[in-house]
Amino acid sequence: MLADYLGRQNFRVSALGDGAALRRLVERELPALVMLDVGLPGEDGFALVMLDVGLPGEDGFALARWLRERSGRVGIIMVTAATDTVDRVVGLETGADDYIAKPFEPRELLARVKSVLRRAAGTPAAGPRVRIGRRVLDLERRVLVDPDDGSEERLAASEFDLLRIFAENPNRPLMRDWLLEATAHREADAFDRAIDLRVTRLRRKVETDPAHPEAIRTVRGVGYMFVPSKD
């Protein structure tokens, strides 16, 4: 059903039943995006765009690692059960770009597919100015702007990099380790809670109430997520 749905959205879709079929396809043509189901065949799952890969010794996590080793640009979406937080965390650690929890609506899947493809192609999801909490991030001039009085605040390089990543990945939970890898200043403060300290500083700059953040939210067991204002 989902393969047909994506096909009607003008995507060329290959639905495969196991990891061996995926490997054969990748040898012929590297796909733009692969969706991997964590579950085993026969469980409450389905086959879609390289799904249901629970062969002995080769689950969705193993295939995600294999794909990421072959290409840093191929998009990877993991499918997990709604309550499997550990699966989500492990999936992101293996190099997946996003995860989606079952059950889900086809329209949600389509939105996530388009978002991952956009990021994989290197097209910024954010414009030159992005509202983050009570401030506006100017991505070209690398400053925070107060929309009320127009005053500007310069950002440290590590702060700007972190805000830029949040702006380019709205409504997507981002792991602490991934954020450390994605920023260009890991060597300066490469310890487990470095991202927590940066987020605390940024919340003081952008949140109306830093003790109850609305823009940069904590995702328990994962990391952080930027939630754009609805204004």
Side-chain angles (χ1 to χ4, degrees), residues 139-198:
L139 290 164
E140 293 180 351
R141 299 175 56 239
R142 304 169 71 95
V143 297
L144 277 176
V145 181
D146 188 323
D148 294 328
D149 59 17
S151 61
E152 299 180 354
E153 180 178 356
R154 287 284 172 186
L155 293 164
S158 59
E159 293 176 332
F160 171 77
D161 286 345
L162 189 54
L163 282 181
R164 175 183 55 78
I165 290 171
F166 282 135
E168 293 177 350
N169 296 274
N171 299 308
R172 178 191 175 196
L174 303 174
M175 293 191 63
R176 289 180 177 85
D177 288 348
W178 186 87
L179 289 168
L180 277 172
E181 292 288 351
T183 54
H185 304 273
R186 178 165 184 161
E187 297 82 1
D189 51 5
F191 53 91
D192 290 346
R193 294 301 175 182
I195 290 297
D196 295 342
L197 296 177
R198 290 187 207 170

